[in-house]
């Protein structure tokens, strides 16, 4: 009898261990952002000083125009495009007060994650004011009062 009990416990332990391994691999592929037939692009957006930059609209378009999506970077400046079909992509980052940034020819390979660090530069603003000087509205050569 004891051998049957130990065989049953051993079998249950084996099933449990197999289940745990399957779950770990499933979660690993989920968090890596890819499957056996897809890849991913992740990254962080920084300002000129190197601080993280939240709220940047990051757009990704497949170079043949067949796919496209856009997301805003999170509070830590991070962005992620998961489960991408293999191919070449174009990435663009935009935010008011900053120059737009574009990265072309980004390769996405099966089961690979491309990690990017995007450093955005401040936009240059030019303001101009024109002042027109006309003749003075006051007569300065006499003290006489006029009538209207």
């Amino acid at each position: 009898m004891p051998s049957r009990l130990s065989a049953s416990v051993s079998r249950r332990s084996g099933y449990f261990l197999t289940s745990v391994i399957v779950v770990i691999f499933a979660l690993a592929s989920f968090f890596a952002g890819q499957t056996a037939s897809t890849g991913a692009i992740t990254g962080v957006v920084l300002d000129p000083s190197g601080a993280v930059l939240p709220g940047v609209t990051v757009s990704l378009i497949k170079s043949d125009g067949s796919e496209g999506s856009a997301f805003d970077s999170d509070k830590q400046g991070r962005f992620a495009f998961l489960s991408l079909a293999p191919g070449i992509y174009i990435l663009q980052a935009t935010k008011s007060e900053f120059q737009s940034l574009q990265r072309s020819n980004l390769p996405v390979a099966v089961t690979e994650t491309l990690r990017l660090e995007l450093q955005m530069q401040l936009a240059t603003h030019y303001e101009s004011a024109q002042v027109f000087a006309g003749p003075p509205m006051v007569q300065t050569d006499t003290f006489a009062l006029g009538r209207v």
Side-chain angles (χ1 to χ4, degrees):
M1 271 304 232
S3 65
R4 269 191 180 173
L5 180 60
S6 64
S8 175
V9 169
S10 176
R11 191 173 308 133
R12 285 183 188 161
S13 297
Y15 290 140
F16 177 75
L17 183 60
T18 303
S19 299
V20 168
I21 291 172
V22 168
V23 168
I24 288 172
F25 280 114
L27 289 175
S29 68
F30 173 76
F31 287 114
Q34 64 219 3
T35 63
S37 61
T38 63
I41 295 178
T42 64
V44 64
V45 185
L46 306 172
D47 69 7
S49 70
V52 296
L53 193 57
V56 176
T57 301
V58 183
S59 305
L60 188 69
I61 302 169
K62 197 164 183 182
S63 61
D64 64 5
S66 63
E67 295 180 32
S69 59
F71 296 101
D72 287 343
S73 60
D74 67 10
K75 292 178 183 177
Q76 288 80 31
R78 296 176 301 201
F79 62 91
F81 296 94
L82 309 175
S83 299
L84 298 172
I88 304 297
Y89 287 82
I90 300 166
L91 182 136
Q92 185 170 13
T94 56
K95 183 173 175 77
S96 63
E97 306 295 323
F98 289 88
Q99 295 176 6
S100 292
L101 178 68
Q102 183 170 325
R103 296 271 178 95
S104 300
N105 299 318
L106 298 173
V108 171
V110 172
T111 70
E112 297 292 320
T113 298
L114 178 62
R115 289 175 177 77
L116 301 174
E117 186 174 286
L118 307 176
Q119 189 155 21
M120 299 190 71
Q121 300 300 317
L122 291 172
T124 305
H125 292 284
Y126 293 102
E127 292 185 21
S128 64
Q130 293 182 342
V131 178
F132 296 99
M137 300 298 286
V138 179
Q139 188 175 8
T140 59
D141 58 349
T142 179
F143 291 106
L145 292 175
R147 291 189 185 176
V148 180

